[in-house]
Amino acid sequence: LVIVGGRSLAEVNVVDMNGLFNTVSNYANMDDVDNTGNSIMANGDTAILAIGSYKCPEGTCADSNNMLYTSGLNGEVKCVEDNASCVLDGEKERGGMEVSGTGSGRLILRALTFDKGRTNYGGGVYIFDDAKVDFELLVFSNNRATSSSNGGGAIYVHNSGTAVNAYGTSFNGNTADSGNGDDVFNNGGTITIHNTCPSPYSSNTPIQGKTRMRIV
């Protein structure tokens, strides 16, 4: 049991797109007609996804541009297994996730695959507004940024206070129409690709990282 600020941190089990959306997608952009989840996890909590494919036609998504949109949310969103077999499938219709700030904590995304995301920039994940995000054992596959100037087929990082750390992360088949950053485009923030592995793995653990990942 972990107590933070007088509250015990919780784990939320997610089995489908509706559950995922309702647990983590808490932001409504006034420029669009957005949906927001109805049972958002508290900051510091963990959402644990069941193995499978998560698609918008099978549940609710944030809007026509993104599957998920978080604002000021921190904690962890992870697959139940460390093999990236929980797949956010954009179906070449929308981006995977926008992360606008993380409040006073970090957002950890672990063992997820972002596949076939498509949007102007950051086809997999777009991170901005001073967000602090850690990628652990992720796969970015077949994502596309369609902007003619910006890029980031898989990841777009924006704003000077935004910081991303990536551990054991794999990139496969991502593209940017602009030619700028098929995998990663950094526009003012920082992104560090580490050559170490996330806990509980070490660099000499043979089962860590993409050797266990399912590449889509």
Side-chain angles (χ1 to χ4, degrees):
L1 182 67
V2 178
I3 306 294
V4 176
R7 183 185 69 86
S8 59
L9 299 184
E11 293 183 345
V12 182
N13 292 307
V14 172
V15 299
D16 56 23
M17 189 63 221
N18 273 330
L20 177 59
F21 169 80
N22 284 319
T23 301
V24 306
S25 198
N26 68 337
Y27 183 71
N29 185 344
M30 290 185 295
D31 294 333
D32 298 309
V33 179
D34 289 348
N35 305 299
T36 55
N38 59 24
S39 54
I40 301 299
M41 70 184 200
N43 279 336
D45 286 354
T46 299
I48 303 174
L49 280 63
I51 291 172
S53 181
Y54 294 76
K55 301 179 180 180
C56 293
E58 298 169 0
T60 305
C61 278
D63 56 34
S64 60
N65 296 314
N66 296 285
M67 298 181 71
L68 303 171
Y69 203 150
T70 69
S71 178
L73 186 71
N74 58 70
E76 186 170 12
V77 179
K78 69 177 184 177
C79 190
V80 67
E81 297 287 347
D82 271 347
N83 58 7
S85 55
C86 300
V87 182
L88 275 70
D89 185 351
E91 301 182 287
K92 300 181 180 179
E93 293 288 338
R94 50 175 60 82
M97 188 172 188
E98 284 201 19
V99 178
S100 172
T102 52
S104 60
R106 306 189 71 85
L107 178 64
I108 300 170
L109 302 178
R110 185 178 178 102
L112 308 174
T113 290
F114 289 89
D115 183 48
K116 295 192 291 293
R118 175 175 173 168
T119 189
N120 284 340
Y121 32 82
V125 182
Y126 172 29
I127 306 166
F128 62 107
D129 199 19
D130 300 336
K132 307 296 187 290
V133 181
D134 289 349
F135 295 154
E136 300 180 353
L137 306 173
L138 297 193
V139 172
F140 290 92
S141 58
N142 309 307
N143 299 290
R144 178 182 173 189
T146 60
S147 169
S148 60
S149 54
N150 288 314
I155 302 165
Y156 186 94
V157 180
H158 186 48
N159 301 131
S160 60
T162 303
V164 178
N165 291 288
Y167 304 88
T169 294
S170 174
F171 300 90
N172 176 47
N174 305 294
T175 58
D177 290 5
S178 65
N180 297 323
D182 285 338
D183 292 325
V184 178
F185 189 90
N186 181 17
N187 185 11
T190 60
I191 179 166
T192 305
I193 309 296
H194 295 266
N195 60 3
T196 56
C197 300
S199 175
Y201 301 109
S202 64
S203 58
N204 61 359
T205 304
I207 63 169
Q208 66 79 27
K210 67 179 182 180
T211 56
R212 288 191 67 198
M213 289 181 175
R214 180 177 69 89
I215 305 297
V216 178

